[in-house]
Amino acid sequence: MNKHIKLKKIALAVSTTLMVGVSMPTFAIEDQTIEEVVAVGNRLQGSAAAVIEERKNQAFVADIMGAEQLSRTGDSDVASALRRVTGLTLVDGKFVYVRGLGERYSSARLNGASVPSPDLTRNVVPLDIFPSSIIESLAVQKAYSPSMPAAFGGGNIDIRTKSVPTEFTAGIEIGVGQNFNATDGFTYDRGAGGIPEPLQQGVVRYRGDFSLGAIVDKDALTGSDTQTRAEQAAQINKALLLSLPRDITVKEESLSPNYDIKANIGDSFDEPYFGGTIGAMLAASYDKDWNYSDRRTAVVDDSLQDGCSSSLNSAEDASNSCYVTVKNSQVTTENERINGVFNIGYKLDQHSITYSKIYLEDNEDELELSVLESPNGSTVRTVFGTGEAQRQHKFNYEERSLDIDQVIGQHTFLDLGGIGFDWQYTESTAETDIPTNIDYKFIDSYNEAGQYEGSIVTGDDNRVTYNFTDMEDYVKSYSGNVTLPLTFSKTEVTLKAGYDFTDRARVYNTSSFVVNNETGISIPVNSDNGVLGLTGYLNDEFVGNNDFLLSFNEPTAPSADDYIAAQKIDAGYVEFDVFFDNTWRVSGGIRYEDFKQVSIGTSSLIFDRITQGIFYDADKIEAGTVNDDDFFSALSLTYLADDNYQIRFGYGETVVRPDLRELVAVAYYDPLTDIKTFGVAGLKSSDLKNYDARFEYYMDNGDNFSVAAFYKDITAPIETILKVGDEDYTATFVNGEEGEVYGIEAEWMHDLSYVSSGLFTAGNITLSDSEVSIDPAFAGNLTNPTKRMTGHSKYVVNLQLNYDSADGQHSGSLVYNVFGERILASGIGGREDAFEEPFHSLDMVYTWYPDFNSKVKFKVKNLLGENQEVTQSGYAVRNKESGTALSVSYSYEF
């Protein structure tokens, strides 16, 4: 037998075995007794065989990333891992942009099921909540197929979790690390947080009106005169104020190192009654990370002068007239993650059923100390002018969790012509709770030498603000697919049909309380070297000796922030896949979706105190409602020359719909931009036509290469536009008239053993462009009605240089990623668009395998020490330190 043919058959056998691990959670293939085989090759190329085989066999263009690739790059979560995939970029460490399109143009599923989002501002699931330790593989489908949701723009990401094992497995991993920026930082005593019980009772008793007059009326106070009753009411008000958490002293101290621990155990055994197999797996992990960064934000002046400095890297730059305001911040962040996965399954012949329980928790505690200055002399005073500047302290603790129960079944009926049936039923809840969100403001004084002298609380409102937020997002998802294979003389046909249902509900509530200085005069406050703590500010004595009062601050439209929303999708599809003479493959089908969504701001609901009834503003509810049903088609043509290369062509019709929160007139701070953003009723869905072409070449030694071209025609694309206030930006949304995205992609893996044994390279490059036009009549004073699409990068580059030693004891990777500048938000009033500048990420991962069971991994992230920067009109308006992080871990498999 020809040596090459033999090698190809061995590779195919290995690939087939490995492919089981990249399917939905199920049982691996039965144990088979085979002769011992010793294979020599590098780890990534070997593990990539199954991934490559699955990609080759996809009817529609897709990229697959396996567990070994995740381990190779050292990425700790799904979001950071996906930026290695061709054409994908990572934003804010959470959201993935596919082919330069914003996160609204991508969707994520877990083992084929829709899941809710714990993100307060988006439907899209923040992918950083999924740890890479529970992932078997990631599939990114870039060409639309009718079996997936029609809400498809750049791509669909399917997160496949690890499967039930076929034999005993157990392992443990421990790791420590440090971000070089986070050796020192600021901390505070958070306490329990949440709305205290006396205040909850007070809101009900006084119906949110804490004014002295309302308290006098409700409590029927009987003082001898008006002044006495007012004094009694003031004491009641202050008692409510003093129930708030106030012992929150800021401390500067050394930060603890980062650490994590992971463990898993699983096994399977035969049950004697029916001859089936039962398997189970339990995995859990915990990690805690600290980060510290200096950040600078600014608002560009609309009357820019020549000679302005274009950087924000020193205090001197803030003294020029380029900026309306400049804010310098010191931000300390503590992240804590707790994850648990339990799988149990049963397999009998060609039938299996698996239950998975997945619980993910991600808690973030952030303290921001900032000074806001006005270089060119607006209402906020500056240290360079009057010797005063506004100081702001923000405390924010956010708890995010995702709780998933999922049952998956897979069945093949060999006696019925090989008909296959698979199904899933998933119920999941995402919750976000912010029990601590405190924002308080002072005015700092400086002497002529610029040295801090003291602080005051001015005599006006909103000196301290307490916000309490909770959100629950619930999704029920179930689907089923029937597959019928047919074989003719030279033709193989697979017919497929399915049903897909998603039911979603979201409730978002926030309560705000403000402390006002009613004296009308400024009051000095205690300080310690310029770092102020609430202990020296809102303690019992300070509140008692000064005229502070508490207000319940529930805003109304357009600044309202509470809303409820619901979404329901009923979908069905039919699909075909035809092979002609093992040379041509034609796949396609059509999907029908009935989509209903409604978003209601609380300003649309009116409580009548006389009738005790709730009424609603029908016009506002109608404006926040989307009710669409449509057909979405797709067609793919593949030419298979031989085992070495194939050519694909694809076409698909899809849609991108407004987010739940974008359709209701509520205000929120976008975590990607730190800009206050307002929803707008009446946004329309965007229709897309997607065109793809791809050439794939596979070599016998595992090397592979592909090049692709794509074009997207978008009707009514949704764009973010900026507005400028006195001291900061705000943003909202608008439908453009039309948009387009087009580009090319190239991807490769190449053995460099001819340079040095064990050396190989992998990478990908995407070059693209886009254009969107917005009707000036709907864009206000938008500076550029025709521009690139928001979030689009003209290029994305991923490069890897990898090494595997011949003895199998050492492996290493040098991993580089960069994206081209992308529009964060569109500028107005003469200001240009705000661009996020390219971020050059260089990471290094080294792994030592001292024995068959042990592994030591050393990682360095952001070797170049790059900072994140946003510019507008050529001037820096955002600057954030990222820091270089180092970590080492040890793992042992029993």
Side-chain angles (χ1 to χ4, degrees), residues 118-134:
D119 188 85
L120 293 174
T121 62
R122 285 164 170 78
N123 291 354
V124 181
V125 181
L127 297 176
D128 64 323
I129 200 171
F130 295 100
S132 57
S133 58
I134 71 170

Side-chain angles (χ1 to χ4, degrees), residues 268-295:
S268 67
F269 57 91
D270 296 332
E271 57 87 10
Y273 299 102
F274 300 100
T277 304
I278 297 175
M281 183 194 73
L282 178 65
S285 66
Y286 174 85
D287 69 82
K288 178 178 282 191
D289 298 324
W290 287 92
N291 188 39
Y292 172 87
S293 65
D294 289 325
R295 304 180 188 179

Side-chain angles (χ1 to χ4, degrees), residues 616-675:
Y616 61 88
D617 187 329
D619 292 336
K620 291 183 179 179
I621 293 177
E622 183 179 357
T625 299
V626 178
N627 193 350
D628 292 332
D629 65 293
D630 207 345
F631 289 92
F632 303 90
S633 61
L635 184 65
S636 175
L637 174 65
T638 305
Y639 172 70
L640 300 93
D642 50 32
D643 290 339
N644 293 107
Y645 77 89
Q646 57 188 21
I647 303 173
R648 303 173 181 268
F649 301 94
Y651 170 78
E653 297 174 341
T654 59
V655 66
V656 172
R657 301 179 177 110
D659 212 326
L660 290 172
R661 195 161 189 170
E662 293 172 353
L663 284 169
V664 59
V666 298
Y668 60 95
Y669 277 92
D670 189 327
L672 297 187
T673 62
D674 197 28
I675 294 174

Side-chain angles (χ1 to χ4, degrees), residues 388-405:
E388 295 181 340
Q390 180 169 279
R391 176 182 294 272
Q392 187 174 25
H393 290 188
K394 289 184 177 181
F395 308 84
N396 189 81
Y397 176 63
E398 181 173 339
E399 299 173 335
R400 301 186 302 168
S401 66
L402 186 56
D403 191 357
I404 301 169
D405 291 279

Side-chain angles (χ1 to χ4, degrees), residues 613-745:
I614 296 179
F615 301 90
Y616 61 88
D617 187 329
D619 292 336
K620 291 183 179 179
I621 293 177
E622 183 179 357
T625 299
V626 178
N627 193 350
D628 292 332
D629 65 293
D630 207 345
F631 289 92
F632 303 90
S633 61
L635 184 65
S636 175
L637 174 65
T638 305
Y639 172 70
L640 300 93
D642 50 32
D643 290 339
N644 293 107
Y645 77 89
Q646 57 188 21
I647 303 173
R648 303 173 181 268
F649 301 94
Y651 170 78
E653 297 174 341
T654 59
V655 66
V656 172
R657 301 179 177 110
D659 212 326
L660 290 172
R661 195 161 189 170
E662 293 172 353
L663 284 169
V664 59
V666 298
Y668 60 95
Y669 277 92
D670 189 327
L672 297 187
T673 62
D674 197 28
I675 294 174
K676 191 172 186 178
T677 304
F678 293 85
V680 56
L683 278 179
K684 298 184 296 184
S685 299
S686 306
D687 294 322
L688 288 84
K689 294 182 179 180
N690 308 271
Y691 304 85
D692 289 272
R694 181 163 169 163
F695 171 82
E696 301 169 1
Y697 184 67
Y698 303 95
M699 285 157 271
D700 293 336
N701 65 351
D703 286 1
N704 62 85
F705 170 79
S706 69
V707 60
F710 59 89
Y711 176 82
K712 297 180 181 295
D713 185 12
I714 308 173
T715 302
I718 300 172
E719 287 289 299
T720 305
I721 59 173
L722 282 180
K723 295 183 177 180
V724 181
D726 292 336
E727 298 176 3
D728 211 343
Y729 294 105
T730 62
T732 188
F733 307 97
V734 66
N735 279 111
E737 295 180 297
E738 57 185 6
E740 60 178 0
V741 182
Y742 51 90
I744 57 173
E745 300 172 337

Side-chain angles (χ1 to χ4, degrees), residues 433-483:
D433 184 28
I434 304 181
T436 301
N437 182 274
I438 305 172
D439 182 357
Y440 59 102
K441 301 173 183 176
F442 312 92
I443 295 294
D444 288 349
S445 298
Y446 297 83
N447 60 25
E448 293 182 357
Q451 298 173 324
Y452 172 79
E453 291 187 329
S455 300
I456 58 174
V457 178
T458 57
D460 53 9
D461 294 343
N462 302 326
R463 293 302 87 198
V464 179
T465 302
Y466 288 80
N467 293 295
F468 302 94
T469 301
D470 63 88
M471 186 272 290
E472 183 171 323
D473 198 0
Y474 170 79
V475 171
K476 179 190 292 185
S477 170
Y478 54 85
S479 61
N481 306 281
V482 178
T483 304

Side-chain angles (χ1 to χ4, degrees), residues 25-27 164 277-279 344-348 350-356 406-411 423:
T26 182
F27 283 86
V164 174
T277 304
I278 297 175
I344 186 168
Y346 179 76
K347 178 178 175 64
L348 177 63
Q350 304 302 317
H351 305 275
S352 68
I353 183 170
T354 305
Y355 166 75
S356 298
Q406 185 173 65
V407 183
I408 293 176
Q410 294 176 312
H411 313 274
W423 55 274

Side-chain angles (χ1 to χ4, degrees), residues 154-466:
N156 177 273
I157 300 163
D158 191 21
I159 302 167
R160 289 101 163 253
T161 55
K162 288 186 175 179
S163 58
V164 174
T166 58
E167 59 184 15
F168 176 77
T169 179
I172 188 169
E173 178 180 329
I174 56 175
V176 295
Q178 183 77 59
N179 188 308
F180 294 152
N181 274 19
T183 55
D184 298 293
F186 297 93
T187 63
Y188 69 103
D189 299 320
R190 183 176 67 246
I195 304 177
E197 184 65 26
L199 202 52
Q200 293 183 41
Q201 297 174 357
V203 171
V204 176
R205 178 174 180 79
Y206 302 111
R207 297 193 176 183
D209 188 353
F210 293 161
S211 66
L212 301 186
I215 294 176
V216 169
D217 292 341
K218 180 63 180 178
D219 290 350
L221 299 179
T222 59
S224 58
D225 53 37
T226 302
Q227 182 177 353
T228 302
R229 290 192 294 273
E231 291 173 353
Q232 293 173 342
Q235 291 304 313
I236 295 173
N237 182 288
K238 285 189 177 183
L240 294 172
L241 190 162
L242 293 173
S243 71
L244 287 165
R246 294 169 294 109
D247 187 12
I248 309 182
T249 305
V250 176
K251 296 170 288 187
E252 185 174 9
E253 59 183 5
S254 298
L255 303 177
S256 304
N258 304 330
Y259 65 92
D260 64 88
I261 182 169
K262 302 179 179 72
N264 68 85
I265 186 170
D267 201 357
S268 67
F269 57 91
D270 296 332
E271 57 87 10
Y273 299 102
F274 300 100
T277 304
I278 297 175
M281 183 194 73
L282 178 65
S285 66
Y286 174 85
D287 69 82
K288 178 178 282 191
D289 298 324
W290 287 92
N291 188 39
Y292 172 87
S293 65
D294 289 325
R295 304 180 188 179
R296 295 177 177 87
T297 61
V299 175
V300 176
D301 197 328
D302 58 358
S303 56
L304 295 174
Q305 299 180 14
D306 295 336
C308 290
S309 172
S310 61
S311 67
L312 284 173
N313 295 323
S314 65
E316 287 77 14
D317 293 330
S319 63
N320 61 62
S321 59
C322 294
Y323 307 104
V324 177
T325 57
V326 174
K327 183 169 74 171
N328 294 280
S329 302
Q330 298 168 291
V331 182
T332 305
T333 306
E334 178 188 13
N335 283 99
E336 181 184 49
R337 296 183 179 183
I338 305 168
N339 305 302
V341 178
F342 172 69
N343 291 337
I344 186 168
Y346 179 76
K347 178 178 175 64
L348 177 63
D349 298 328
Q350 304 302 317
H351 305 275
S352 68
I353 183 170
T354 305
Y355 166 75
S356 298
K357 175 72 171 182
I358 302 173
Y359 179 78
L360 310 172
E361 184 177 316
D362 185 355
N363 305 323
E364 179 181 275
D365 196 356
E366 184 172 275
L367 168 58
E368 179 180 356
L369 309 178
S370 59
V371 175
L372 183 67
E373 303 166 6
S374 180
N376 67 352
S378 67
T379 55
V380 180
R381 291 165 289 182
T382 170
V383 6
F384 303 102
T386 62
E388 295 181 340
Q390 180 169 279
R391 176 182 294 272
Q392 187 174 25
H393 290 188
K394 289 184 177 181
F395 308 84
N396 189 81
Y397 176 63
E398 181 173 339
E399 299 173 335
R400 301 186 302 168
S401 66
L402 186 56
D403 191 357
I404 301 169
D405 291 279
Q406 185 173 65
V407 183
I408 293 176
Q410 294 176 312
H411 313 274
T412 301
F413 301 92
L414 298 178
D415 295 338
L416 299 176
I419 291 178
F421 175 59
D422 66 86
W423 55 274
Q424 65 82 21
Y425 180 87
T426 305
E427 290 191 10
S428 47
T429 303
E431 295 186 17
T432 298
D433 184 28
I434 304 181
T436 301
N437 182 274
I438 305 172
D439 182 357
Y440 59 102
K441 301 173 183 176
F442 312 92
I443 295 294
D444 288 349
S445 298
Y446 297 83
N447 60 25
E448 293 182 357
Q451 298 173 324
Y452 172 79
E453 291 187 329
S455 300
I456 58 174
V457 178
T458 57
D460 53 9
D461 294 343
N462 302 326
R463 293 302 87 198
V464 179
T465 302
Y466 288 80

